[in-house]
Amino acid sequence: EAHLEDLIGGPLYSYQKTLPRLPIPSIEDTISRFLPTALPLAESAEEANSLKDACKVFPAQAEKLHRRLIHRKEEMDKSSWLQLWWNTAGYLQVRDPVVVNVSYFFHFKDDGTIPFNGDDNDWSLGVKRASSILHSAAEFRKSICTGSYPQVTIGRKEPKTPLCSVAYKYMFNACRIPRRGQDTYRIYDPSQFKHCIVACKGNFFTVDFLDDNGNPLPL
């Protein structure tokens, strides 16, 4: 879905085309990093020697696979050579419970700006808190969907290093669809939907929380 980044545009995706491609490390570099970390785990001199012997023959055995990886990188000029494998084997094919194990989730701390009457069983407090979260989420959603959210960068010195923004387009108006063996997903047009789902006492409701321009409604 790389074309969506061009369609949305804005500061959020301003560096996408200039980001460096995910490199493929050389076989020698892989071995030089692997062996020092694996040897301390060897429980005997025999195991340590086996690791060393394996690393001696590994380059010849891995050469064909390495050439195939380089070819794959050259073919996938619009994405990372690892992205498809990561999304399928590391995400869509995982059969563990999604929340916690696979997908991100949110836990919100108490909002100190909401008036509290001292009654922990007051339902109105939960409604106020949910409304506050929805309103803030709507504002954040608009910045993502319009691309106005600033590009995330890291580093202490200028110029800082921009991070890839690919994952942001899956944050809102996207859905993972359960399937046997491997799930699928779909991204929907954010301009066509203005509601959220609210769960209360085992029931689910659709609640409009955006106006026609994607701005948060007063809740």
Side-chain angles (χ1 to χ4, degrees):
E1 300 85 11
H3 67 281
L4 292 177
E5 298 159 13
D6 295 330
L7 180 64
I8 297 171
L12 181 60
Y13 297 106
S14 58
Y15 287 93
Q16 284 303 107
K17 294 186 180 300
T18 60
L19 292 174
R21 302 287 303 284
L22 181 67
I24 298 177
S26 67
I27 298 175
E28 294 74 17
D29 182 60
T30 298
I31 294 176
S32 68
R33 294 172 184 271
F34 167 77
L35 198 55
T37 58
L39 284 176
L41 302 178
E43 296 182 354
S44 65
E46 182 180 0
E47 287 188 8
N49 290 330
S50 296
L51 285 170
K52 294 176 182 178
D53 291 340
C55 287
K56 291 179 181 178
V57 299
F58 180 76
Q61 296 177 345
E63 185 178 353
K64 182 177 180 180
L65 175 60
H66 193 258
R67 289 199 304 267
R68 290 172 62 185
L69 283 176
I70 294 176
H71 179 66
R72 178 181 176 86
K73 179 183 177 182
E74 293 172 349
E75 282 189 328
M76 304 187 69
D77 59 342
K78 296 185 182 302
S79 179
S80 162
W81 59 268
L82 183 61
Q83 183 174 349
L84 179 60
W85 289 340
W86 179 266
N87 285 345
T88 53
Y91 184 63
L92 297 174
Q93 292 178 353
V94 176
R95 301 294 89 185
D96 296 328
V98 174
V99 177
V100 179
N101 294 292
V102 182
S103 296
Y104 56 79
F105 70 103
F106 301 97
H107 180 273
F108 297 97
K109 65 180 181 180
D110 290 335
D111 186 351
T113 66
I114 298 177
F116 179 52
N117 61 9
D119 183 3
D120 290 328
N121 297 317
D122 182 10
W123 275 80
S124 66
L125 179 62
V127 172
K128 293 175 182 177
R129 185 182 183 194
S131 299
S132 175
I133 291 173
L134 277 179
H135 191 275
S136 297
E139 291 182 331
F140 180 66
R141 173 194 175 277
K142 184 176 183 180
S143 69
I144 298 299
C145 294
T146 61
S148 62
Y149 190 74
Q151 174 80 37
V152 178
T153 58
I154 59 173
R156 297 182 178 179
K157 297 181 179 180
E158 297 292 345
K160 295 184 178 181
T161 302
L163 298 182
C164 180
S165 298
V166 163
Y168 281 100
K169 60 177 174 281
Y170 304 104
M171 185 170 287
F172 296 99
N173 298 99
C175 179
R176 176 171 174 157
I177 305 170
R179 293 285 188 268
R180 187 181 298 274
Q182 177 178 314
D183 299 341
T184 59
Y185 65 91
R186 183 172 178 180
I187 302 176
Y188 297 88
D189 184 351
S191 66
Q192 301 299 310
F193 301 95
K194 300 179 292 182
H195 68 276
C196 63
I197 304 298
V198 175
C200 181
K201 294 185 177 181
N203 298 303
F204 293 84
F205 306 89
T206 60
V207 177
D208 286 340
F209 74 127
L210 303 168
D211 63 19
D212 291 337
N213 295 318
N215 297 310
L217 292 173
L219 297 173

